[in-house]
Amino acid sequence: MDTSEIRRRFVAHFEAAGHTAVPSASVLASDPNLLFVPAGMVPFKPYFLGQETPPYERAVSIQKCVRTPDIEDVGKTTRHGTFFEMCGNFSFGDYFKERAIELAWDLVTKPQSDGGWGFPEDKLYPSVYVDDAEAVALWKKITGLPDERIARLGKTENYWSMGVPGPGGPCSEILIDRGPAYGADGDFSAEDRYLEFWNLVFMQDELSAVRSKEDFDIAGSLPKKNIDTGMGLERVAFMTQGVENMYEIDVMFPVIERAMELSGKKYGADHEDDVRFRVVADHVRSSMMLIGDGVTPGNEGRGYVLRRLLRRAVRSMRLLGYEDPALPELMPVSRDKMAETYSDLTRDWDRIARVAYGEEDTFRKTLQAGTQIFDLAASDVKAAGATTLAGEQAFALHDTYGFPIDLTLEMAAEQGLVVDEPGFRALMAEQRERAKADAKAKKGQHADTTVYRGILDANGPTEWLAYETLETESRPLALLSGGGATQALGEGEIGELVLDRTPFYAESGGQAADAGVIDFEGGRLEVLDVQRPIKGLVVHQVRVTEGELSADAKGLLAKVDPGWRIGARQAHSGTHVVHAALRQVLGPSALQSGSFNRPGYLRLDFGWTQALSPEQVREIEQVSQQALRSDLPVAWDYMTLEQARDWGAIALFGETYDNTKVRVVEIGGPWSRELCGGTHVEHSSQIGTIVVTGEASVGSGSRRIEAFTGVEGFDYLARERDVVGQLTTMLKTQPDDLVGRVADLVDRLKSVEKEVERARLTQLLAGGAAMVSTATDVNGISVVAQRVDGAAGGDVRTLALDVRSKLDRPGAVLIAGVKDGRVSLVGAVNDAARDRGVSANDLVRLVGSFVDGKGGGKADVAQGGGTDTGRLDEALAAVLAEVARVAGA
């Protein structure tokens, strides 16, 4: 069975059993503690935690997942991979252990001719948590297996928890026996022998005092017992396709085949090469899927992970002997296989390819620069008579310059050197431990939504009327302060207020929350912020500006600031217009990756690998203004996510959308169609104006456009007009001639600056001539060691070289420039003095030790600096003593 058929049968099996098919969420996790979705249950986490009410009792999904903690082990074993697909079926308080076991066993063992997977029952072994006698009894009852065929395992293997207080429960896994060639009989810890491919989590316990994932207290039973299962698609694929591991399945091995053609190497002939082939197959696919979901390469977070994956793939091809650009040859192969399921890969291919290939080009330049840095480090090692490159140097090459350790090892061997690998690995381990500590510190930072959950359960969802009105008569449902309920807030105090109905827009989709006031009998509140801490509940952060607010206050009137809302609508519709204009000018692959808008201002981030030209920015602004002038109609409608995509609506990367109903906003019909929950104008002309104020980089492969809209846009243009007016008055010219007039002034200024620089240099060199006459004879060597106040950097070097050129016998020069409290050092020694053993490098290092600095270079010219001027005279005297010591031998 090919992978797509395995996937199809899984979904069909559970749909037939009353499960709602839920499409994969983006691989970008909305959970602040996660970079990526690491398991199929993550999109359903709010339901398991009781933060949201599930819209269905049963669900089935095939979720895109990425796990990267073991990235260094990818390819070294056949179990580790970064991107994978997790098939899961879920029950939210509906069926429990018995039905979960029945459904899993039926699909796994049912003959392929009947729609199942056809695994032989005599090769299957269920495992259970050692204390879960109920599960043992159910497995026996449902499968008829004898007691000895059911493995009992401990907490590490068969108890599920998130590592924080909350739900948990025992697990049952389905293992397949691959035979004695993969390990000893009955050794269930040997994963290659008894391979786990399906995990059934029986979520039944409420965990407290969680000290680790295996050390916790069970406070009691959950009020609703849930089922969360995870089945590894790639594992089932390689077992049903008769191959050895996940890298050889139908959606991955074609990449290895192409890599073999390019490199001339053969998979299966050499273990080290096999590791590299697997890295290529895994990382090419993972990178493509990450870029498809909107990740761009960067130096931190998700972008850093993507950068590592891409560079490891390129590096592995280089180690296989292929040094030409590899991704344009490999990634289309992966696309053709994965697009059978994920059609958006084909639709977005231009963007995906541009990001991936651009990163490879950048890395190839990095390799070139890193090679030069390595060569310098290797030269220093050899010059010192050593044969080992320090672990610190290898780590700096890896961490600072992105230079892979494998290449460092390879190049060191070519030069007859070895690398201090233990030192390098220790530094890498320290880095990983710091990362783990940071991640652990973030654990438990889930906002405690218990109080909000209670409000929602008691009162139902907020009646949200932001699309319909700017005012509502409302009733208080809860008053909160410091994370808990309070009876009153006094004047000047800040708290949270939950109303039964509200006209206020809660911050979401890049749009800032509404501003306004809430009046009540005897007082007024200023609305500072509006949020949705859990789905369905709107919470207002308020400050009491008049009176005292009680939890049962009467006569509440919630009023959105009309001016604020108008500006917000203009900015949000303006964002859609700029996005459409951007795609019209640059092409459909220029997709928005993030946005923010508040009244009168918008910014839009989009994936692009190079700066826009002034002409492109101007054209984007012109297309936007034409859309406003055309008075395009703005409309919105509700439909399923699938219908919206078929309609051509654009979804923002990383956003989570309700598959049962989404809101599509269109401007000018198909010209701009986007999924959006924001507030908008009714016609594009109501935006007023769009003035682009800037375009800049916000990271590798990502750009940002900023603009003003409405009155703020006119104000910006008015300020520019005032500046132009002031300049034309000052320069006594007309606006049309202003640029030429300023350019003429700049040219004249540059000419004057050059004249001043020539005069300054002449004066400086004249001082150098005077220094020659003051040279001190030290054992037949003319030594000039002088302090020059007001000189720095290039001036000091110029002076030192000039003085050296004027010495007509063995000579050594050390100039110490002092400016702004810093010392600039340059040493220059002519050939005759070097023959006597005098070195500029030694002189600069000597003076550097006196001025709290350092430096170095070659024997003829060296330079450095320092920050302590107090011992400079002593240091210059030491120069004479050093020359006397060396030349007197």
Side-chain angles (χ1 to χ4, degrees):
M1 270 192 299
D2 61 29
T3 303
S4 60
E5 179 62 16
I6 297 169
R7 185 189 289 108
R8 189 197 66 77
R9 291 188 181 203
F10 184 87
V11 174
H13 176 74
F14 285 100
E15 279 191 309
H19 293 66
T20 299
V22 179
S24 174
S26 166
V27 78
L28 311 185
S30 57
D31 187 326
N33 295 324
L34 300 171
L35 287 178
F36 305 109
V37 171
M41 62 79 64
V42 170
F44 302 103
K45 199 171 177 180
Y47 306 150
F48 291 128
L49 292 173
Q51 296 171 344
E52 296 181 17
T53 301
Y56 27 67
E57 292 183 329
R58 304 179 178 192
V60 57
S61 73
I62 299 178
Q63 174 63 42
K64 298 179 291 186
C65 300
V66 170
R67 292 181 187 170
T68 57
D70 300 323
I71 190 172
E72 298 287 349
D73 294 323
V74 169
K76 294 177 183 177
T77 75
T78 56
R79 294 191 303 273
H80 290 95
T82 50
F83 175 85
F84 59 97
E85 295 178 83
M86 184 68 78
C87 306
N89 59 287
F90 307 90
S91 166
F92 309 106
D94 186 24
Y95 63 83
F96 198 46
K97 292 183 184 180
E98 183 168 7
R99 186 59 175 150
I101 294 172
E102 288 174 346
L103 288 168
W105 190 255
D106 181 44
L107 177 60
V108 169
T109 60
K110 188 162 52 179
Q112 292 188 11
S113 58
D114 293 337
W117 291 339
F119 283 105
E121 292 189 22
D122 62 348
K123 298 293 185 183
L124 301 177
Y125 287 75
S127 72
V128 299
Y129 178 49
V130 65
D131 294 334
D132 192 359
E134 179 187 10
V136 173
L138 288 171
W139 276 110
K140 287 175 160 182
K141 171 187 172 183
I142 293 165
T143 68
L145 292 175
D147 190 76
E148 60 271 16
R149 286 281 299 281
I150 301 172
R152 278 79 161 173
L153 302 176
K155 280 185 179 178
T156 301
E157 299 86 1
N158 275 52
Y159 194 97
W160 178 86
S161 79
M162 292 187 293
V164 295
C171 307
S172 269
E173 297 176 338
I174 303 179
L175 317 173
I176 187 166
D177 182 3
R178 302 179 71 197
Y182 295 93
D185 290 347
D187 183 4
F188 292 103
S189 63
E191 290 190 26
D192 285 339
R193 170 72 188 266
Y194 298 94
L195 188 70
E196 174 262 319
F197 63 92
W198 199 328
N199 186 19
L200 292 79
V201 177
F202 306 135
M203 211 177 293
Q204 64 188 41
D205 299 326
E206 178 75 30
L207 306 186
S208 64
V210 177
R211 295 167 287 276
S212 72
K213 293 195 78 171
E214 288 83 34
D215 184 14
F216 47 78
D217 296 337
I218 297 178
S221 297
L222 291 172
K224 287 186 176 181
K225 297 180 179 181
N226 306 309
I227 288 293
D228 155 31
T229 80
M231 189 282 293
L233 180 63
E234 287 79 4
R235 288 195 176 185
V236 171
F238 85 70
M239 289 186 292
T240 58
Q241 292 174 15
V243 295
E244 278 295 304
N245 55 65
M246 62 178 283
Y247 298 100
E248 300 174 12
I249 64 176
D250 59 323
V251 294
M252 294 188 72
F253 196 67
V255 175
I256 292 179
E257 289 179 317
R258 182 61 181 143
M260 285 193 286
E261 294 173 3
L262 296 172
S263 67
K265 299 288 182 68
K266 185 172 178 60
Y267 181 73
D270 176 81
H271 174 69
E272 290 300 321
D273 284 347
D274 286 355
V275 170
R276 292 161 187 157
F277 279 122
R278 292 171 192 150
V279 167
V280 169
D282 175 86
H283 288 6
V284 164
R285 184 171 75 142
S286 300
S287 301
M288 178 180 67
M289 300 305 292
L290 289 179
I291 298 170
D293 273 4
V295 183
T296 56
N299 291 325
E300 59 184 26
R302 293 164 174 158
Y304 180 66
V305 172
L306 173 59
R307 172 160 286 167
R308 283 193 71 195
L309 292 171
L310 286 168
R311 293 186 171 192
R312 278 170 59 86
V314 173
R315 176 199 71 198
S316 295
M317 286 301 294
R318 174 175 162 52
L319 293 176
L320 285 167
Y322 185 76
E323 298 192 8
D324 291 335
L327 295 181
E329 300 289 341
L330 299 170
M331 198 166 278
V333 178
S334 186
R335 172 204 60 198
D336 291 345
K337 299 305 298 183
M338 296 302 294
E340 295 173 8
T341 301
Y342 300 104
S343 58
D344 53 338
L345 295 174
T346 301
R347 184 180 66 246
D348 295 340
W349 182 247
D350 288 346
R351 176 184 59 83
I352 294 169
R354 187 180 65 250
V355 171
Y357 303 165
E359 178 63 18
E360 179 171 17
D361 290 341
T362 300
F363 183 45
R364 288 168 63 82
K365 294 173 184 175
T366 296
L367 288 178
Q368 184 177 1
T371 299
Q372 295 173 349
I373 295 165
F374 171 83
D375 288 342
L376 289 174
S379 297
D380 288 343
V381 172
K382 290 180 177 179
T387 60
T388 301
L389 187 72
E392 293 88 346
Q393 291 173 301
F395 181 75
L397 280 165
H398 168 84
D399 193 55
T400 305
Y401 302 103
F403 204 66
I405 183 61
D406 288 354
L407 282 182
T408 302
L409 293 170
E410 174 188 320
M411 293 172 63
E414 290 172 355
Q415 297 205 28
L417 302 176
V418 295
V419 178
D420 175 18
E421 281 194 79
F424 171 81
R425 302 294 176 193
L427 290 168
M428 286 294 293
E430 288 177 15
Q431 187 185 61
R432 280 194 294 270
E433 287 303 315
R434 287 194 296 270
K436 288 180 181 178
D438 290 343
K440 186 175 182 180
K442 293 178 182 178
K443 290 288 186 182
Q445 288 186 5
H446 294 278
D448 185 357
T449 60
T450 305
V451 62
Y452 303 122
R453 182 80 246 173
I455 297 169
L456 183 63
D457 289 344
N459 301 281
T462 305
E463 186 180 358
W464 189 62
L465 301 171
Y467 295 150
E468 301 167 29
T469 182
L470 296 180
E471 290 188 10
T472 61
E473 294 181 357
S474 304
R475 179 170 57 86
L477 300 180
L479 185 61
L480 308 173
S481 178
T486 186
Q487 291 303 306
L489 291 176
E491 190 165 321
E493 291 188 312
I494 295 174
E496 292 181 323
L497 177 64
V498 181
L499 303 175
D500 64 333
R501 59 206 310 254
T502 181
F504 282 90
Y505 183 85
E507 180 181 2
S508 65
Q511 181 175 330
D514 278 334
V517 298
I518 301 174
D519 291 330
F520 62 96
E521 289 184 5
R524 167 170 284 193
L525 310 172
E526 177 189 4
V527 177
L528 305 177
D529 192 15
V530 188
Q531 297 289 332
R532 295 178 187 267
I534 60 174
K535 187 176 181 180
L537 195 72
V538 177
V539 178
H540 310 76
Q541 185 186 60
V542 297
R543 177 193 287 118
V544 182
T545 56
E546 298 176 26
E548 179 180 86
L549 175 68
S550 65
D552 57 355
K554 306 296 182 185
L556 271 69
L557 181 64
K559 300 187 292 185
V560 175
D561 181 337
W564 180 281
R565 176 64 72 80
I566 289 171
R569 293 168 64 198
Q570 290 174 321
H572 204 149
S573 296
T575 303
H576 286 223
V577 167
V578 171
H579 188 202
L582 187 75
R583 288 164 55 78
Q584 181 172 320
V585 172
L586 300 182
S589 62
L591 282 175
Q592 177 181 334
S593 57
S595 68
F596 174 74
N597 50 78
R598 64 172 186 267
Y601 167 83
L602 69 88
R603 70 168 186 248
L604 184 148
D605 296 344
F606 60 101
W608 204 250
T609 55
Q610 57 190 14
L612 304 190
S613 67
E615 292 75 20
Q616 287 174 316
V617 174
R618 179 63 178 155
E619 188 177 358
I620 290 166
E621 188 176 57
Q622 288 176 332
V623 171
S624 299
Q625 295 291 7
Q626 185 60 47
L628 272 57
R629 182 179 182 180
S630 300
D631 196 28
L632 301 176
V634 181
W636 45 88
D637 199 359
Y638 293 89
M639 61 192 70
T640 67
L641 184 57
E642 185 176 355
Q643 289 171 330
R645 286 174 172 158
D646 291 342
W647 207 34
I650 298 171
L652 182 63
F653 288 127
E655 287 291 314
T656 300
Y657 299 100
D658 185 350
N659 191 48
T660 59
K661 187 172 64 173
V662 295
R663 183 172 182 254
V664 177
V665 175
E666 66 171 17
I667 300 176
W671 187 69
S672 170
R673 281 178 178 152
E674 297 189 33
L675 274 63
C676 181
T679 60
H680 289 273
V681 298
E682 295 174 352
H683 289 83
S684 61
S685 61
Q686 294 172 344
I687 297 171
T689 189
I690 293 176
V691 181
V692 176
T693 60
E695 186 275 337
S697 171
V698 286
S700 176
S702 185
R703 310 291 300 179
R704 172 174 291 172
I705 282 182
E706 295 181 277
F708 287 123
T709 60
V711 174
E712 287 77 4
F714 287 113
D715 288 345
Y716 179 85
L717 294 174
R719 290 194 299 272
E720 287 202 331
R721 180 192 60 200
D722 291 344
V723 170
V724 170
Q726 293 173 37
L727 288 173
T728 54
T729 300
M730 292 170 58
L731 300 176
K732 295 181 175 59
T733 188
Q734 296 300 311
D736 290 345
D737 299 327
L738 185 59
V739 173
R741 183 80 173 98
V742 171
D744 180 59
L745 285 174
V746 170
D747 288 342
R748 291 169 58 187
L749 179 60
K750 288 180 179 177
S751 178
V752 171
E753 287 176 342
K754 288 179 180 178
E755 289 296 328
V756 171
E757 177 61 20
R758 278 195 291 269
R760 190 188 64 78
L761 188 57
T762 299
Q763 183 179 15
L764 179 69
L765 297 181
M771 288 183 187
V772 173
S773 64
T774 64
T776 301
D777 184 286
V778 179
N779 292 334
I781 297 177
S782 296
V783 180
V784 176
Q786 294 280 347
R787 168 179 177 153
V788 181
D789 289 319
D795 286 347
V796 178
R797 184 181 178 88
T798 299
L799 185 58
L801 295 177
D802 181 65
V803 172
R804 183 184 68 174
S805 70
K806 290 180 168 61
L807 297 174
D808 55 6
R809 64 175 190 163
V813 181
L814 192 293
I815 304 297
V818 179
K819 186 175 182 180
D820 298 329
R822 297 188 61 84
V823 181
S824 299
L825 304 172
V826 175
V829 179
N830 61 23
D831 292 343
R834 291 201 304 279
D835 291 342
R836 298 278 302 276
V838 182
S839 166
N841 182 48
D842 293 341
L843 297 182
V844 167
R845 288 185 174 180
L846 172 66
V847 178
S849 66
F850 283 85
V851 299
D852 192 22
K854 58 184 179 180
K858 297 181 179 179
D860 60 338
V861 180
Q863 62 188 46
T867 56
D868 183 1
T869 62
R871 299 179 64 195
L872 192 52
D873 291 341
E874 182 183 352
L876 296 175
V879 170
L880 300 176
E882 173 64 12
V883 174
R885 183 187 69 80
V886 174

